[in-house]
Amino acid sequence: MVDLAPLLSVLGEDVVLVDPDRMAGYRWDRAHDPGAGMPLAVVRAGSTEDVQTAVRFAAEHGLAVVPRGAGSGLSGGSSAVDGCLVVSTERMTRVEVDPVTRTLVAEPGAMNAQVKAAAAEHDLWYPPDPSSYEICSIGGNVATNAGGLCCVKYGVTTDYVLGMTVVLADGTAVELGGPRLKDKAGLSLTKLFVGSEGTLGIVTRVVLRLIPAQRPPATLVATFATLDDATGTVLDITRQMRPSMLEFMDRPTINAVEDLTKMGLDREAAAMLVIQSDEPAGHAGVEIETITAICEKHGATEVFSTDDPEEGEAFVVARRNAIPAVERTGTLLLEDVGVPLPQLGALVDGIAAIAQAQGVTIAVIAHAGDGNTHPLIVFDPADAEMAARAQAAYGEVMTLAIELGGTITGEHGVGRLKKAWLGDQIGEDALELNRRVKQALDPQGILNPGAIF
Amino acid sequence: MVDLAPLLSVLGEDVVLVDPDRMAGYRWDRAHDPGAGMPLAVVRAGSTEDVQTAVRFAAEHGLAVVPRGAGSGLSGGSSAVDGCLVVSTERMTRVEVDPVTRTLVAEPGAMNAQVKAAAAEHDLWYPPDPSSYEICSIGGNVATNAGGLCCVKYGVTTDYVLGMTVVLADGTAVELGGPRLKDKAGLSLTKLFVGSEGTLGIVTRVVLRLIPAQRPPATLVATFATLDDATGTVLDITRQMRPSMLEFMDRPTINAVEDLTKMGLDREAAAMLVIQSDEPAGHAGVEIETITAICEKHGATEVFSTDDPEEGEAFVVARRNAIPAVERTGTLLLEDVGVPLPQLGALVDGIAAIAQAQGVTIAVIAHAGDGNTHPLIVFDPADAEMAARAQAAYGEVMTLAIELGGTITGEHGVGRLKKAWLGDQIGEDALELNRRVKQALDPQGILNPGAIF
């Protein structure tokens, strides 16, 4: 048993939690990984130096370190490991905006919503917007290269990260990049740490690029009698233009959301698209008209559009609430599979076939314009036989995505729950290359062991 | 002396050049590195397999491998090393567009202009646009994470690279990423290879993201009596909006361009800005009006604007021709320093002071909206004393940029000519981290030795 006294003496009892009851809240993320272990201690770091102290202690004693932001991850990337140090950045929440360089410096525990709000005070915008933006931290966003609804036009987290402070596996803190819009000095290490899920280092500070505030969007909602009509519409739109949002919900999702919101959605529709244009006034109208025509060409059963941002936002909120809405009907296994856009229809059809074959409900929502879907597999954990079928479906959906030239994870990360499929997707050579980089940066293998690798 | 017969027998005499006269054209890039060596052979690869054969041969015999695209690099990144294999990708020029996924697959020897033209056939656009776009290869663009004029709104090369085939130091060819708009499977290795200047692997195929064709831009040209007026204008613009181009030329540049083009530029102006807006019709006019007001507020001596794309393009061509125009006045040392935007004025003023102190002309052009400048140091190589002063100025400009919180290279790469300053900028810890990644991927150190590291 490792003696924590030296760590406690430096950081104090308020920072280092060892009481199992107090540590319970730090064992799982939203994936509820059944394999989560019991930490030796939870370090609630308040600074880069605290993180360094914790990592140095772990390196000295060969302890696993599991970095943790807000615990909103969906792939078990921050599930605790038995005997590990959980390093939580929840107390590191400072955010500072520099409107002149249009950059923002954030500590990793700041919520995505807090970052957006700080930018908005200066009429600036940090685009990446996971549906969970009110409860997910920017550190977690960086760790998973998080996406969201606006990515179809505005890109993902890595597109906005200009620099960072990162604590390496030996406790060294390194500054990478900075508030420079172009910087080609040395290897692209900032980009390497984005999306590394805490396996290469712990990010304790990020410099983010901001852009001018988004214009108020116009919104279009369309329903379709068949999945093919909806996916055909998506392809026809993305071929011609760049909407600022292009979201998809299937019938089980529509019904779950309608149960929750009673907003009058068409329960009989096979699919619904929620689309926005943030082009300048006048031109947004033209774009929405074009999209209306495309929807009608593909046999939309209903098309509604509005340039009232509040009215439009109600549909976006409905879409964002899809996961909690479906979660009311059972326990979820959350997928994050993506395909090249022309395969979107085949993916959605294939998922329906898997659901039928396994006898489980799979509700599908999608960032359709990116080809990135979130099939939500619903099951009753008390029914072991059903849970096994849900687990089988979980694997089959990933295998299907790989067969269609797609990915097992578009924006949630591999974490611990998807790693068994990673090699099938990227191949042994690419996996080996991943391992070589991991080995070079964390030779002891103490950083988030079991995640990705 | 290594026996090349086995290499020749596999690849043939048309592919493997050993005649010093024929190899002469493969020793230098546009930086004319005086330290360039004489290759043992030049391999004009026609395929990924050819590159693998060359790299395996080099690995077996411990030969240096210098990858080479079009040889248009500006930092000596493809200067030959004595006894190396130069691996040229000039024959690998295939480009294929998939309009449905809005992606493009290119071999590395394809010119940037060829990639743009192939995309344009489908009303699509590959934005990154180095001034040298007609003579620079997409492989070189990926190796240096090249930028250009449109980056102020549309980002740099890495923002458009979705996947690649890369030949590693042991000759293994690995596929990374693919035509998926979001993909978080494993570490961000695609991003790591972008900008690695041939030191980690040789990219033999890239998958690029395309966006819908750019709208025809409106153009504004403004001249200023002082540098401060011009840089103040830049800051006021970037604070409020995202022009699609925001370029700067100082007086020596204006005069060199006017000597070449006789287009009637104001030779007395201290600085000129060339600005474009590609907002939709109507809205571009509003943006140009706002920019006009900002220019006038900062005392512009003349403001001219046009929504005729051809008339506007003439000014953009003038800006793109700045380097060749200045090159007519002497030999150039090309800089690529960048700073956080608020320091742009201090950088430009400081460069003028360095020019005066060293008694050399330094013409400054800049992608002003990115804070990325290209000071062009003019000297006569026959005058050894002047050449020494030019070299001193070259270092002083980089030191100044570092002091202002900037970078020694925004988009050209470190290559061989800037590496002495890399540690000053990024610090010893970050440099060591660069070395660890290099060591992990190229333990023999055969890939482009002397570049970056």
Side-chain angles (χ1 to χ4, degrees):
Chain A
M1 188 68 178
V2 173
D3 178 12
L4 289 171
L7 190 64
L8 276 157
S9 78
V10 176
L11 296 178
E13 285 184 5
D14 286 346
V15 170
V16 183
L17 310 183
V18 293
D19 171 5
D21 285 347
R22 292 191 68 189
M23 293 198 292
Y26 297 87
R27 292 180 59 194
W28 291 275
D29 59 21
R30 277 179 70 207
H32 308 293
D33 182 357
M38 175 56 82
L40 179 64
V42 172
V43 178
R44 299 173 65 243
S47 66
T48 298
E49 292 70 27
D50 285 358
V51 174
Q52 291 181 276
T53 301
V55 173
R56 283 201 192 106
F57 183 85
E60 193 183 328
H61 296 91
L63 300 177
V65 176
V66 176
R68 183 183 181 87
S72 63
L74 295 166
S75 300
S78 55
S79 307
V81 170
D82 276 330
C84 75
L85 290 189
V86 169
V87 175
S88 166
T89 58
E90 69 193 308
R91 292 171 55 222
M92 298 174 67
T93 59
R94 266 178 305 193
V95 171
E96 203 170 326
V97 178
D98 178 352
V100 181
T101 55
R102 284 212 316 252
T103 57
L104 179 153
V105 176
E107 289 187 329
M111 293 295 137
N112 178 297
Q114 183 188 344
V115 167
K116 284 183 183 295
E121 278 178 30
H122 299 272
D123 280 328
L124 294 169
W125 184 35
Y126 174 71
D129 59 344
S131 293
S132 57
Y133 74 105
E134 289 169 305
I135 58 160
C136 65
S137 70
I138 201 73
N141 289 178
V142 169
T144 57
N145 191 16
L149 283 66
C150 72
C151 303
V152 63
K153 184 167 183 177
Y154 291 99
V156 294
T157 302
T158 191
D159 299 319
Y160 294 89
V161 181
L162 296 175
M164 58 174 57
T165 303
V166 58
V167 175
L168 304 180
D170 64 358
T172 310
V174 180
E175 307 280 329
L176 300 173
R180 296 172 290 274
L181 298 174
K182 283 179 184 163
D183 190 350
K184 184 40 218 82
L187 301 174
S188 305
L189 298 182
T190 301
K191 296 279 188 194
L192 177 63
F193 282 99
V194 177
S196 64
E197 303 191 36
T199 65
L200 303 182
I202 303 180
V203 174
T204 59
R205 179 180 151 274
V206 281
V207 183
L208 301 173
R209 182 169 72 91
L210 304 174
I211 61 176
Q214 187 179 29
R215 287 178 284 256
T219 306
L220 179 149
V221 183
T223 47
F224 298 86
T226 74
L227 290 175
D228 286 354
D229 290 344
T231 55
T233 300
V234 169
L235 282 181
D236 239 12
I237 293 170
T238 57
R239 202 171 291 168
Q240 297 178 47
M241 66 189 73
R242 300 181 84 192
S244 55
M245 183 181 298
L246 180 38
E247 294 289 316
F248 168 100
M249 307 198 304
D250 72 351
R251 183 178 294 151
T253 311
I254 294 169
N255 279 276
V257 169
E258 180 61 17
D259 287 343
L260 183 68
T261 63
K262 317 281 186 209
M263 64 195 290
L265 303 180
D266 176 4
R267 290 179 177 277
E268 298 307 312
M272 178 171 129
L273 297 178
V274 181
I275 306 170
Q276 290 194 324
S277 167
D278 65 357
E279 291 293 298
H283 200 76
V286 174
E287 203 161 87
I288 292 290
E289 267 174 43
T290 309
I291 294 170
T292 302
I294 294 172
C295 290
E296 285 167 354
K297 188 183 114 192
H298 287 273
T301 49
E302 201 177 348
V303 181
F304 166 81
S305 67
T306 173
D307 56 9
D308 176 349
E310 276 183 42
E311 196 174 17
E313 179 65 11
F315 292 97
V316 179
V317 169
R319 161 59 191 87
R320 281 209 198 91
N321 284 332
I323 295 180
V326 176
E327 208 161 17
R328 287 168 18 131
T329 68
T331 296
L332 301 187
L333 274 172
L334 271 145
E335 289 277 12
D336 176 36
V337 293
V339 286
L341 266 183
Q343 303 293 350
L344 183 62
L347 178 67
V348 172
D349 290 344
I351 289 167
I354 290 169
Q356 188 160 30
Q358 292 292 355
V360 289
T361 298
I362 307 185
V364 178
I365 52 181
H367 307 306
D370 293 321
N372 180 205
T373 71
H374 295 310
L376 311 172
I377 305 170
V378 188
F379 70 102
D380 175 0
D383 179 343
E385 194 268 334
M386 187 192 202
R389 282 186 279 119
Q391 194 61 47
Y394 186 71
E396 285 169 9
V397 168
M398 282 189 273
T399 301
L400 171 65
I402 295 168
E403 282 167 5
L404 295 171
T407 179
I408 59 171
T409 174
E411 57 182 9
H412 293 171
V414 176
R416 290 176 170 79
L417 300 190
K418 289 172 176 267
K419 66 181 169 177
W421 289 267
L422 181 59
D424 291 346
Q425 179 188 332
I426 69 175
E428 191 48 46
D429 285 339
L431 196 59
E432 171 56 22
L433 195 58
N434 274 270
R435 286 195 203 104
R436 265 156 75 182
V437 173
K438 165 72 173 174
Q439 170 70 19
L441 268 60
D442 179 20
Q444 269 187 288
I446 62 171
L447 291 176
N448 215 7
I452 303 184
F453 302 99
Chain B
M1 186 72 175
V2 173
D3 177 12
L4 289 171
L7 190 64
L8 275 157
S9 78
V10 177
L11 296 177
E13 285 183 6
D14 288 346
V15 169
V16 183
L17 310 183
V18 293
D19 172 5
D21 285 348
R22 292 191 68 188
M23 292 198 294
Y26 297 87
R27 291 180 59 194
W28 292 276
D29 60 21
R30 278 179 71 207
H32 307 294
D33 182 357
M38 175 57 81
L40 179 65
V42 173
V43 178
R44 299 173 65 245
S47 65
T48 298
E49 292 70 26
D50 285 358
V51 174
Q52 290 181 274
T53 301
V55 173
R56 283 200 192 106
F57 184 85
E60 192 183 329
H61 296 90
L63 301 177
V65 176
V66 176
R68 183 183 181 88
S72 64
L74 296 166
S75 300
S78 55
S79 308
V81 170
D82 276 329
C84 76
L85 290 189
V86 170
V87 174
S88 166
T89 57
E90 69 193 310
R91 292 170 56 222
M92 298 173 67
T93 60
R94 267 177 303 191
V95 172
E96 204 171 324
V97 178
D98 178 352
V100 182
T101 56
R102 284 213 316 253
T103 58
L104 179 153
V105 176
E107 287 187 330
M111 293 294 137
N112 177 297
Q114 182 188 344
V115 167
K116 283 183 184 298
E121 278 178 30
H122 299 273
D123 281 328
L124 293 170
W125 185 34
Y126 174 70
D129 60 345
S131 292
S132 57
Y133 74 105
E134 288 168 306
I135 57 160
C136 65
S137 70
I138 202 74
N141 291 178
V142 169
T144 57
N145 191 15
L149 284 67
C150 72
C151 304
V152 63
K153 184 166 182 176
Y154 292 99
V156 294
T157 303
T158 193
D159 300 318
Y160 294 88
V161 182
L162 295 175
M164 58 175 57
T165 304
V166 60
V167 175
L168 303 180
D170 63 358
T172 310
V174 179
E175 308 280 329
L176 300 173
R180 296 172 290 273
L181 299 173
K182 283 180 185 164
D183 190 350
K184 185 36 220 83
L187 300 175
S188 305
L189 297 181
T190 301
K191 297 280 187 195
L192 176 64
F193 282 98
V194 177
S196 64
E197 302 191 38
T199 64
L200 303 182
I202 303 181
V203 174
T204 59
R205 180 181 150 274
V206 280
V207 183
L208 301 173
R209 182 170 72 93
L210 305 174
I211 62 176
Q214 187 179 28
R215 286 179 284 255
T219 306
L220 178 149
V221 182
T223 48
F224 298 86
T226 74
L227 292 174
D228 285 354
D229 290 345
T231 55
T233 300
V234 169
L235 283 181
D236 240 11
I237 293 169
T238 56
R239 202 170 294 169
Q240 296 179 47
M241 66 190 75
R242 302 182 81 191
S244 56
M245 183 181 298
L246 179 37
E247 293 290 315
F248 167 101
M249 307 199 302
D250 71 352
R251 183 179 292 152
T253 311
I254 293 168
N255 278 276
V257 169
E258 181 60 17
D259 288 344
L260 182 70
T261 62
K262 318 284 187 204
M263 63 193 292
L265 303 180
D266 177 3
R267 289 179 178 277
E268 299 307 311
M272 179 172 129
L273 298 177
V274 181
I275 306 170
Q276 291 194 323
S277 168
D278 66 356
E279 290 292 298
H283 200 77
V286 174
E287 201 160 87
I288 292 290
E289 268 175 43
T290 309
I291 294 170
T292 301
I294 293 171
C295 291
E296 286 168 353
K297 187 181 114 192
H298 287 273
T301 50
E302 202 177 345
V303 182
F304 167 81
S305 66
T306 173
D307 56 10
D308 176 349
E310 277 184 41
E311 196 175 17
E313 179 65 12
F315 292 98
V316 179
V317 169
R319 160 58 192 87
R320 281 209 198 92
N321 283 331
I323 295 180
V326 175
E327 208 160 18
R328 287 167 21 128
T329 70
T331 296
L332 301 187
L333 275 172
L334 273 146
E335 289 276 13
D336 177 35
V337 293
V339 285
L341 266 182
Q343 302 294 351
L344 183 63
L347 178 68
V348 172
D349 291 344
I351 290 167
I354 290 169
Q356 189 161 31
Q358 292 290 355
V360 290
T361 298
I362 307 184
V364 179
I365 51 181
H367 307 306
D370 293 322
N372 180 207
T373 72
H374 296 310
L376 310 172
I377 305 170
V378 187
F379 71 103
D380 176 359
D383 180 342
E385 194 267 333
M386 187 191 200
R389 282 185 279 119
Q391 194 60 49
Y394 186 72
E396 286 169 9
V397 168
M398 282 189 274
T399 301
L400 172 64
I402 295 168
E403 284 167 5
L404 294 171
T407 178
I408 61 172
T409 175
E411 56 182 11
H412 293 171
V414 176
R416 290 176 172 79
L417 300 189
K418 290 172 176 267
K419 65 181 169 177
W421 289 268
L422 181 58
D424 291 347
Q425 179 188 329
I426 68 175
E428 192 47 46
D429 285 338
L431 196 58
E432 171 56 23
L433 195 58
N434 274 269
R435 287 196 202 102
R436 265 157 73 182
V437 172
K438 165 71 171 172
Q439 171 70 21
L441 267 60
D442 179 19
Q444 269 187 288
I446 63 171
L447 291 176
N448 215 7
I452 304 183
F453 302 98

